[in-house]
Amino acid sequence: MIGAFPAIRVRYPDCHHTPTFPSLFALLLILAFLALMSGCAGSTVKEEKVDLVWPPPPEQARIRYLGSYSSQLDLKGRNSLKARLLGEDPRGFAIQKPYGVTATDDGRRIYVADTKQAAIVVFDFDTKKVYPFETDAAGALRSPIEVRVDSRGRLYVTDPVRSRLFVYSPDGKTLYALGANEKLERPTGLALDERRQRIYVADRGTHRILVYNFEGEFQYEFGERGTGPEQFNLPINLAVDREGNLYVVDFGNFRVQMFSAGGDFLGMFGEAGDKMGDMARPKGIAVDSDGHIYVVDAAFGNFQIFNREGRILLFVGQMGHQPGQFWLPTGMYINAQDRIYVADSLNARIQVFQYISERNMKR
């Protein structure tokens, strides 16, 4: 079990100033002084470093905690006192209720679907800024659930309230709004297969998986409501591995179904329960470079890792608010560097982990 870590509290020393000038001039003088000083308010806030791995020693570590991101403070500190004097949030722009998450292959940008703010929030490590992704009016979002980005910088977003899958250019222009002809009802899960130029969308409203190409053209669909193989009860999240196999979180059936790139049914695993390997509220899903399958469970407050045969290998996390703990986790993504991104919804943050493969251990 993961030990408890003390909450991080940041206190600033009291800074008193008795104005002897007219109020406007005094305020300007204070702000000019604060822009230069660093001792009283502080320019950055750094989280306490923690070293968390799973499984714990003496076992060989396979998952390492890297950190979490929730606001501008996590990329570049702000002058807290100055922000308060100006009536601003000292954290800068912050996520409020994340559901979906994705990242570029190099990890320089993280994109978060924030359902409370009805926006995609961008964490840009090059500019050290956090900001909402701006779209045109045609692609205005009402309740973004899942987000993905391709190698060209195009953004893909599902919005179940608008019953559409939106595809945006890097500058926010709406390229496609998909789903009208196919009668999408509640699109949620989303996965990209760039090698085969496919977009997979899970429609929990009609219990189907729909497939489009990268030009926005509908290709085919499969699935219907039921409990048998190739049937779904609220398909909610999707992932594609490096071989093009598709993984579907079949939420209402408490399981994961697997399909080949050619559409053949490969198998399924999972059942309702409260022991390791069972599922209660399965949500996000992802696959690492070695083919291990990760499934977030909102009820357990963790993510579980399975092999291709569906055998449980490891679980990471528990309910809580400290590093490596979760409060209603939802979406998940693993990028090309095997960095694991988890939307920790009610903790209003994205937690990042690293999968440690055999290849990395030999280097």
Side-chain angles (χ1 to χ4, degrees):
M1 180 176 291
I2 305 170
F5 289 83
I8 301 165
R9 297 182 182 273
V10 179
R11 298 188 63 185
Y12 297 97
D14 292 333
C15 299
H16 300 288
H17 179 80
T18 302
T20 58
F21 301 97
S23 58
L24 178 59
F25 180 76
L27 178 59
L28 292 174
L29 185 62
I30 292 171
L31 293 181
F33 178 65
L34 289 173
L36 296 175
M37 69 182 293
S38 60
C40 184
S43 59
T44 61
V45 177
K46 293 184 179 179
E47 287 192 10
E48 179 180 312
K49 290 184 178 180
V50 295
D51 186 16
L52 293 175
V53 295
W54 294 263
E59 300 294 326
Q60 174 61 55
R62 291 296 183 177
I63 304 294
R64 181 178 297 278
Y65 171 79
L66 297 183
S68 68
Y69 300 95
S70 59
S71 73
Q72 180 72 47
L73 274 179
D74 298 308
L75 300 192
K76 183 180 181 181
R78 288 166 60 85
N79 189 309
S80 180
L81 182 56
K82 178 181 176 181
R84 287 190 170 92
L85 285 171
L86 293 174
E88 299 175 350
D89 187 337
R91 298 175 303 162
F93 198 83
I95 54 177
Q96 296 183 20
K97 192 176 181 181
Y99 186 99
V101 61
T102 195
T104 54
D105 282 345
D106 61 8
R108 301 306 299 170
R109 283 190 180 186
I110 301 174
Y111 297 88
V112 182
D114 190 319
T115 58
K116 189 171 182 178
Q117 299 188 89
I120 302 300
V121 180
V122 184
F123 288 77
D124 190 325
F125 291 83
D126 291 325
T127 63
K128 297 188 182 302
K129 292 182 179 179
V130 179
Y131 53 88
F133 181 76
E134 295 186 4
T135 71
D136 53 24
L141 296 166
R142 295 181 61 188
S143 182
I145 289 292
E146 190 60 282
V147 58
R148 291 290 180 263
V149 61
D150 68 19
S151 59
R152 297 174 293 180
R154 291 184 173 187
L155 219 59
Y156 303 73
V157 182
T158 53
D159 189 326
V161 174
R162 292 198 63 184
S163 302
R164 293 290 180 271
L165 162 64
F166 292 102
V167 184
Y168 304 100
S169 68
D171 61 0
K173 179 182 178 182
T174 303
L175 301 176
Y176 313 113
L178 308 178
N181 293 335
E182 296 74 44
K183 295 181 171 55
L184 272 179
E185 289 186 7
R186 303 285 291 177
T188 50
L190 176 63
L192 304 181
D193 183 351
E194 288 211 57
R195 182 179 299 178
R196 296 162 189 81
Q197 299 284 288
R198 290 178 185 168
I199 309 167
Y200 293 94
V201 184
D203 187 354
R204 74 183 185 201
T206 61
H207 313 282
R208 298 176 296 162
I209 308 299
L210 292 84
V211 186
Y212 298 86
N213 65 23
F214 271 33
E215 301 306 315
E217 299 168 337
F218 175 71
Q219 301 297 290
Y220 62 93
E221 65 179 63
F222 62 95
E224 60 181 359
R225 189 162 202 173
T227 58
E230 303 180 68
Q231 295 181 324
F232 306 106
N233 183 15
L234 304 174
I236 193 168
N237 282 95
L238 305 174
V240 171
D241 67 18
R242 298 187 179 190
E243 298 173 2
N245 299 316
L246 175 69
Y247 301 82
V248 182
V249 174
D250 192 2
F251 178 83
N253 286 324
F254 308 96
R255 65 189 183 187
V256 171
Q257 294 199 58
M258 302 174 286
F259 302 86
S260 72
D264 297 323
F265 176 72
L266 297 178
M268 56 188 176
F269 64 88
E271 62 182 10
D274 58 6
K275 65 180 185 297
M276 282 186 60
D278 288 345
M279 300 183 185
R281 293 184 68 187
K283 295 279 189 174
I285 187 168
V287 185
D288 67 27
S289 61
D290 286 332
H292 303 123
I293 305 159
Y294 298 60
V295 182
V296 171
D297 199 296
F300 298 155
N302 67 12
F303 60 86
Q304 301 186 97
I305 306 174
F306 301 85
N307 65 13
R308 292 173 185 257
E309 289 70 47
R311 180 170 63 87
I312 181 70
L313 302 175
L314 182 68
F315 74 91
V316 175
Q318 63 186 46
M319 297 289 284
H321 310 291
Q322 304 302 323
Q325 299 178 347
F326 303 96
W327 202 259
L328 195 67
T330 50
M332 167 181 266
Y333 184 74
I334 298 178
N335 75 353
Q337 298 178 338
D338 276 330
R339 287 192 175 177
I340 305 157
Y341 301 83
V342 182
D344 190 3
S345 182
L346 294 190
N347 282 327
R349 64 187 178 184
I350 302 299
Q351 295 202 63
V352 185
F353 304 80
Q354 180 69 52
Y355 166 59
I356 305 169
S357 67
E358 294 281 355
R359 296 182 301 278
N360 291 334
M361 288 188 289
K362 292 177 182 178
R363 290 176 183 174

